[in-house]
Amino acid sequence: MSGTGKRSAGLLLFRHTDHGLEVLLGHMGGPFFARRDAGAWSVPKGEYEPDETAWDAARREFQEELGLAPPEGEAIELGEVRQTNGKVVTAWAIEADLDPGTVVPGTFRMEWPPKSGQMQEFPELDRVEWMGLERARAVVVKAQATFLDRLAEHSD
């Protein structure tokens, strides 16, 4: 799936609970996603340049987006997907438990309101939540649902 478009990499944490398999997703921060649920959740991930490996980028972006060190453990390759915006996302799953209350999200700056000349700072992720696969499929960026399917196949 390689190409000249933008590339992102991320880590999808998962855990087994009495309610079944759960994954940790982040709700994208900023004004565009503030009132959205469906399609506004994502694997914690970020863009990287050709001089960095996808694996190194996934671990770095986890740290930047969540403010926590990426967990150690066996990494399950979930492969790549191409999102509707053309971005290719590579992900790995790692079994780990994380308290969403310990997350200290990174931030980004953008002009808001548009054409106002005012720069505002927003969290990369405005909340992080454990959810079962059914809910996760309903709210995650559409292309990333493939990662959930691949994880479920691996966990069977």
Side-chain angles (χ1 to χ4, degrees), residues 32-49:
F32 298 122
F33 299 101
R35 291 183 178 84
R36 289 183 51 195
D37 201 36
W41 292 80
S42 176
V43 171
K45 62 168 183 52
E47 291 182 10
Y48 65 99
E49 299 299 324

Side-chain angles (χ1 to χ4, degrees), residues 6-12 43-72 87 90 92 94 104-107 124-125:
K6 292 185 175 181
R7 300 186 65 84
S8 273
L11 298 179
L12 177 63
V43 171
K45 62 168 183 52
E47 291 182 10
Y48 65 99
E49 299 299 324
D51 62 346
E52 184 178 25
T53 69
W55 172 246
D56 288 341
R59 294 180 55 78
R60 174 183 53 76
E61 285 292 335
F62 186 93
Q63 174 89 43
E64 288 179 13
E65 296 230 336
L66 302 183
L68 302 169
E72 298 300 325
K87 184 182 291 182
T90 305
W92 288 265
I94 297 179
V104 182
T107 59
E124 297 263 1
L125 300 173

Side-chain angles (χ1 to χ4, degrees), residues 1-7 50 80 82 86 88:
M1 236 185 242
S2 295
T4 55
K6 292 185 175 181
R7 300 186 65 84
E80 296 181 339
R82 183 178 303 276
V88 174

